[in-house]
Each structure stands twice: as structure tokens, then as C-alpha cells.
Amino acid sequence: TVGQSSFCITESKSQKYLGLMVDSQLKFNNHIELIKSKIAKRTGALYRSKKLLPLKYRKMFVNALMLPQFDYLDVIWSRTSKYQLNSLDVLYKKVAKIALDMDKRESSLEVYKTMKWLPLHLRRQLHLTTYMYKVINNLAPEQFGHNFSYIF
């Protein structure tokens, strides 16, 4: 704890800020675990209701309530360890296969094609590329562009 007359700063190993779990070493392991926890709860609900809901509504459920969990701030945390990213990839495939009521051994490419999804690593790459395009072309908020210098 660092203290001064009017305020006190406390050291923390991890802090949630705008929905992102930021740890002291910027490894984002806690954030990945938070994503997996949220998805696991929703996956359980999806699995229990998959015989009750038609395919159209299962896809809507997954696209509306699970896909944003994989995407939110991925431009920031996508440089975490390959192990953590792979664990999210596995969960992403599992969610899609449950929504489609497909066998676990079904080809991932077929699953993505049916869901009209990109593989998760390509989604992250697309988000980063889109972000950088906006920064370079002055389409992002002004404060983001000041953090970069361009080499021509």
C-alpha cells in the first residue's frame, strides 16, 4: 500500500476494469478463466434445452449470448499464452457443436460453415486488423491514434 495525505493506492494481483481482468503481469489468465466460467454456465443451459429449442433458436442463443464473450476486448487479451487461447478454441467448438446437436468428433470446418463462423483465431485476427485499419485511417477515437507512430 502506498499512501499519501489525500489518497491511498493498494497493490492488487488482478483487477477488473471495464469487464477486463487485468493482472499485474498482463498475462490475462484470470480473464480467460472468467470467460470460460461465463461460457460454461451458458453451455449448461444450452445443453439442457437443446432438445426443446429448434436449431434456429439455439443458433440465436449462441450468437447473442456466447459469441460476445469470446470477442469482447480480444484485441487486448489475445496475446495471452497459446495454452489459454487453445482452451478457448476448444470451448468455442464445443459450444457450436452443442448448438448444432452434432457429434463431438464432427469436423470443425463443417461446424464453422454451418454456424457461419470463422475459426476463433481468425476472428481475433479480423478484430485486430479492423482496429488497426480504423486507427491508421483516423476512423478510431482521436486518443487511440496518438499512441502510434508510423514508419514509412
Side-chain angles (χ1 to χ4, degrees):
T1 303
V2 177
Q4 202 166 13
S5 60
S6 61
F7 66 92
C8 185
I9 299 173
T10 305
E11 182 180 354
S12 167
K13 293 202 186 301
S14 181
Q15 180 67 42
K16 191 172 189 177
Y17 184 71
L18 297 175
L20 178 70
M21 291 295 293
V22 180
D23 61 89
S24 59
Q25 297 180 337
L26 295 178
K27 291 188 176 184
F28 299 106
N29 293 338
N30 292 338
H31 184 72
I32 301 298
E33 292 304 317
L34 179 65
I35 292 172
K36 290 179 353 186
S37 170
K38 288 179 179 180
I39 295 292
K41 291 174 189 173
R42 294 170 186 170
T43 302
L46 177 66
Y47 188 80
R48 288 187 300 276
S49 63
K50 74 178 181 179
K51 299 297 181 193
L52 302 172
L53 292 174
L55 176 61
K56 174 183 173 182
Y57 295 111
R58 291 193 310 262
K59 286 171 115 178
M60 285 174 56
F61 178 84
V62 168
N63 284 321
L65 297 175
M66 293 188 185
L67 209 50
Q69 297 299 322
F70 290 105
D71 292 344
Y72 185 65
L73 295 176
D74 63 352
V75 170
I76 297 171
W77 57 257
S78 64
R79 295 293 173 225
T80 189
S81 71
K82 286 211 181 277
Y83 173 80
Q84 292 289 10
L85 293 176
N86 288 340
S87 70
L88 284 180
D89 288 342
V90 169
L91 194 54
Y92 182 74
K93 292 173 196 173
K94 181 179 179 180
V95 163
K97 289 177 182 181
I98 291 172
L100 296 172
D101 200 17
M102 290 183 154
D103 187 77
K104 293 178 193 176
R105 295 172 298 241
E106 186 69 42
S107 162
S108 296
L109 294 176
E110 188 60 38
V111 171
Y112 296 149
K113 183 178 172 185
T114 305
M115 288 296 289
K116 297 181 181 167
W117 284 1
L118 286 172
L120 194 53
H121 71 281
L122 292 178
R123 286 182 70 86
R124 289 190 292 263
Q125 189 174 16
L126 176 65
H127 296 152
L128 180 59
T129 305
T130 302
Y131 172 72
M132 291 310 299
Y133 174 85
K134 287 179 179 180
V135 168
I136 290 168
N137 291 291
N138 296 317
L139 299 171
E142 206 174 291
Q143 52 274 44
F144 294 123
H146 297 304
N147 295 325
F148 298 97
S149 58
Y150 304 106
I151 301 171
F152 296 100

